[in-house]
Amino acid sequence: MTRTIFYKVTLSLALATLLAGCGGGGRSSGLGGECAWYRSSCQYEGSYEEGERDYAEREAARLNRRQSSRLGGGGWFW
């Protein structure tokens, strides 16, 4: 009896974790709709204006640092 309850609770928690991980993909990344699943469809392919490329690179670096600090700055092994 106790094992059956344990297995049901474990299965329920695993399912809830899986659904929570899949459901937050678009919202947590800041991209909505199609961009959340197909990032290449949202990339800009035109030419940059004067100074725009430098701004884009600085902004990307800033966002990468922010995300890195949000995730703890490291990985699984360091």
Side-chain angles (χ1 to χ4, degrees):
M1 175 86 172
T2 305
R3 263 191 192 158
T4 305
I5 293 172
F6 175 74
Y7 290 137
K8 287 180 181 180
V9 169
T10 303
L11 181 62
S12 298
L13 288 174
L15 183 60
T17 303
L18 179 66
L19 290 175
C22 292
R27 290 186 302 270
S28 65
S29 66
L31 300 172
E34 189 176 325
C35 292
W37 295 103
Y38 304 106
R39 289 202 173 178
S40 62
S41 68
C42 299
Q43 293 179 347
Y44 181 69
E45 295 180 6
S47 60
Y48 287 101
E49 293 178 11
E50 174 107 20
E52 189 178 15
R53 183 181 190 99
D54 294 332
Y55 169 77
E57 289 177 359
R58 283 193 313 270
E59 186 67 11
R62 184 187 69 81
L63 292 172
N64 286 338
R65 283 192 304 272
R66 183 176 171 202
Q67 185 68 13
S68 179
S69 67
R70 215 175 125 222
L71 294 174
W76 286 35
F77 301 109
W78 61 87

